[in-house]
Amino acid sequence: MASLGLIALLGFTSIRSVAAWGAFGHEAVAYIAQDFVSSATATFVQNILSDTSTRYMANVATWADSYRSTTAGKWSAPLHFMDAMDSPPGSCGVNFARDCPAEGCVVSALTNFTNQLMSSSTSAAAKLDAMKFVIHFVGDMHQPLHVENLDVGGNSIAVTYNSASTNLHSVWDSSLIQEYAGGSSLTVARTFATSTTDAIKAGTWSTTSWLSGTDINDPEATGMKWAGEANGYVCTDVIPDGVAAVQGVDLSGDYYDDHIHAPRIQIARAGYRLAAWLNLIATGKTT
Ligand SMILES: *[C@@H]1O[C@H](CO)[C@@H](O)[C@H](O)[C@H]1NC(C)=O
Ligand SMILES: [Zn+2]
């Protein structure tokens, strides 16, 4: 990766290390979703966001990460993750009763804000926030280390990437996918999203299973399915050989080669599913 880009990236991720996908990942998810929503859904979303630009979803994809660090938005900080109390790499899994506390988690947040979007009694201001939260949280629940409790979702596991100090959570938020995409700007996010959309349409992944179990009347079950699948990558790709095997290791070489497939497919799934979810909210159909 070019050194300038790397410096920008590390400066960025160090202050947002617990922010789930970095801005780049969230913007890519939003752009992929824009590619797959129906035209009726696009109008529905644009009306709520008051934005008819070519990046109407990407523009608000990281709002929730800014909001959580304001005094008014502090209450929403726990909604960006779910602390699965499993034991990777031997045993992965999520359990709503165990892992989603009363203060909320990313799955209960999906339920709450989906219901607000579907209710005719929700104010326009509340719908605006709910839309921005749904666009963001569908992304968050696809990041494996946002549905994992171990070592604060990997934040306390020190590693290096291209020789620079960082942590495992940041590597999964940003370093791997930005190296694959070749940058971190909104323009690169658009280019990366377009190639991901093309790959989905070309059948690179078997998407038939991606929407199985998707039930707009049961956001909790749907969210748990998505979160459970993401959490599975903690055992197979994030720390398949345990924490000691990555601690202090530079993850930009063999580790990148072995595991880049995981953030790629997870961002593809998140964008594809976000589109289907918004289609269901707007029109009752997935396409
Ligand atoms: C649902 O969202 C509202 C904000 O719109 C928030 O005040 C409330 O705490 C949330 N409820 C749950 C159960 O997450
Ligand atoms: Zn987040």
Short mmCIF file of all heavy atoms in Angstrom, two decimals, residues 23 46 49 63 76 101 108 134 140 170 175 192 206 211 227 230 253 260 268:
data_model
loop_
_atom_site.label_atom_id
_atom_site.label_comp_id
_atom_site.label_asym_id
_atom_site.label_seq_id
_atom_site.Cartn_x
_atom_site.Cartn_y
_atom_site.Cartn_z
N ALA A 23 -14.92 4.08 7.95
CA ALA A 23 -15.82 4.82 7.06
C ALA A 23 -15.87 4.14 5.69
O ALA A 23 -16.94 3.99 5.09
CB ALA A 23 -15.33 6.26 6.91
N GLN A 46 -34.65 8.08 -0.37
CA GLN A 46 -34.25 9.46 -0.69
C GLN A 46 -35.20 10.47 -0.04
O GLN A 46 -34.76 11.53 0.41
CB GLN A 46 -34.22 9.65 -2.21
CG GLN A 46 -33.04 8.95 -2.86
CD GLN A 46 -33.13 8.92 -4.38
OE1 GLN A 46 -34.14 9.32 -4.96
NE2 GLN A 46 -32.07 8.43 -5.02
N LEU A 49 -34.30 10.70 3.63
CA LEU A 49 -33.00 11.35 3.82
C LEU A 49 -32.94 12.76 3.23
O LEU A 49 -31.96 13.49 3.45
CB LEU A 49 -31.89 10.50 3.19
CG LEU A 49 -31.66 9.09 3.78
CD1 LEU A 49 -30.56 8.36 3.00
CD2 LEU A 49 -31.29 9.16 5.26
N TRP A 63 -22.76 8.33 9.81
CA TRP A 63 -23.36 9.28 10.77
C TRP A 63 -23.43 8.68 12.18
O TRP A 63 -23.12 9.35 13.17
CB TRP A 63 -24.76 9.68 10.30
CG TRP A 63 -25.55 10.41 11.34
CD1 TRP A 63 -25.49 11.74 11.64
CD2 TRP A 63 -26.49 9.83 12.27
NE1 TRP A 63 -26.34 12.03 12.69
CE2 TRP A 63 -26.96 10.88 13.09
CE3 TRP A 63 -26.97 8.53 12.48
CZ2 TRP A 63 -27.90 10.67 14.11
CZ3 TRP A 63 -27.89 8.31 13.49
CH2 TRP A 63 -28.36 9.37 14.30
N SER A 76 -26.41 5.59 22.30
CA SER A 76 -26.43 4.65 21.16
C SER A 76 -25.12 3.87 21.01
O SER A 76 -25.04 2.96 20.18
CB SER A 76 -26.73 5.42 19.86
OG SER A 76 -25.69 6.35 19.57
N PRO A 101 -27.50 -7.28 26.10
CA PRO A 101 -27.94 -6.79 27.42
C PRO A 101 -29.14 -5.84 27.31
O PRO A 101 -29.52 -5.42 26.22
CB PRO A 101 -26.71 -6.06 27.95
CG PRO A 101 -25.96 -5.63 26.73
CD PRO A 101 -26.23 -6.67 25.67
N SER A 108 -30.81 -5.83 18.61
CA SER A 108 -32.04 -5.17 19.10
C SER A 108 -32.20 -3.80 18.45
O SER A 108 -33.32 -3.31 18.26
CB SER A 108 -32.03 -5.06 20.63
OG SER A 108 -30.97 -4.26 21.09
N VAL A 134 -30.23 2.14 10.49
CA VAL A 134 -30.36 0.85 9.79
C VAL A 134 -29.25 0.70 8.75
O VAL A 134 -28.61 -0.35 8.65
CB VAL A 134 -31.77 0.70 9.15
CG1 VAL A 134 -31.80 -0.46 8.15
CG2 VAL A 134 -32.81 0.48 10.25
N ASP A 140 -22.42 -2.95 10.47
CA ASP A 140 -21.73 -3.36 11.70
C ASP A 140 -21.91 -4.84 12.01
O ASP A 140 -20.96 -5.51 12.40
CB ASP A 140 -22.26 -2.54 12.90
CG ASP A 140 -21.57 -1.20 13.04
OD1 ASP A 140 -20.62 -0.91 12.28
OD2 ASP A 140 -21.99 -0.42 13.93
N SER A 170 -8.90 -3.07 14.30
CA SER A 170 -8.66 -2.11 13.22
C SER A 170 -8.29 -2.78 11.90
O SER A 170 -8.70 -2.32 10.83
CB SER A 170 -7.49 -1.19 13.59
OG SER A 170 -7.95 0.04 14.00
N SER A 175 -7.87 -2.15 7.54
CA SER A 175 -6.61 -2.42 6.83
C SER A 175 -6.76 -3.43 5.71
O SER A 175 -6.29 -3.19 4.58
CB SER A 175 -5.55 -2.93 7.81
OG SER A 175 -5.47 -2.12 8.95
N PHE A 192 -14.84 0.32 -5.65
CA PHE A 192 -14.84 -1.01 -5.03
C PHE A 192 -16.26 -1.57 -4.99
O PHE A 192 -16.49 -2.75 -5.26
CB PHE A 192 -14.25 -0.92 -3.62
CG PHE A 192 -14.49 -2.14 -2.77
CD1 PHE A 192 -13.76 -3.31 -2.97
CD2 PHE A 192 -15.46 -2.13 -1.78
CE1 PHE A 192 -13.99 -4.44 -2.20
CE2 PHE A 192 -15.71 -3.26 -1.01
CZ PHE A 192 -14.98 -4.41 -1.22
N SER A 206 -22.40 -17.59 -4.16
CA SER A 206 -23.74 -18.17 -4.26
C SER A 206 -24.68 -17.36 -3.38
O SER A 206 -24.73 -17.54 -2.16
CB SER A 206 -23.70 -19.63 -3.82
OG SER A 206 -25.00 -20.12 -3.76
N LEU A 211 -30.32 -14.53 1.42
CA LEU A 211 -31.57 -13.97 1.93
C LEU A 211 -32.45 -15.00 2.61
O LEU A 211 -33.56 -14.68 3.04
CB LEU A 211 -32.35 -13.28 0.80
CG LEU A 211 -31.66 -12.07 0.16
CD1 LEU A 211 -32.57 -11.42 -0.88
CD2 LEU A 211 -31.23 -11.05 1.21
N ALA A 227 -25.66 -11.97 12.35
CA ALA A 227 -24.60 -11.81 13.36
C ALA A 227 -23.90 -13.14 13.63
O ALA A 227 -22.68 -13.20 13.80
CB ALA A 227 -25.19 -11.25 14.65
N ALA A 230 -21.46 -13.87 10.83
CA ALA A 230 -20.26 -13.03 10.94
C ALA A 230 -19.36 -13.52 12.07
O ALA A 230 -18.14 -13.63 11.93
CB ALA A 230 -20.66 -11.57 11.18
N GLY A 253 0.86 -9.71 5.18
CA GLY A 253 1.39 -10.68 4.22
C GLY A 253 0.54 -11.92 4.08
O GLY A 253 -0.55 -11.89 3.49
N ILE A 260 -8.41 -12.45 3.29
CA ILE A 260 -9.07 -11.31 2.65
C ILE A 260 -10.44 -11.70 2.08
O ILE A 260 -11.35 -10.86 1.97
CB ILE A 260 -8.18 -10.67 1.54
CG1 ILE A 260 -8.84 -9.43 0.94
CG2 ILE A 260 -7.80 -11.68 0.45
CD1 ILE A 260 -9.15 -8.32 1.91
N ALA A 268 -19.92 -7.60 0.80
CA ALA A 268 -20.87 -7.91 -0.28
C ALA A 268 -22.22 -8.32 0.30
O ALA A 268 -23.28 -7.82 -0.13
CB ALA A 268 -20.30 -9.02 -1.17
#
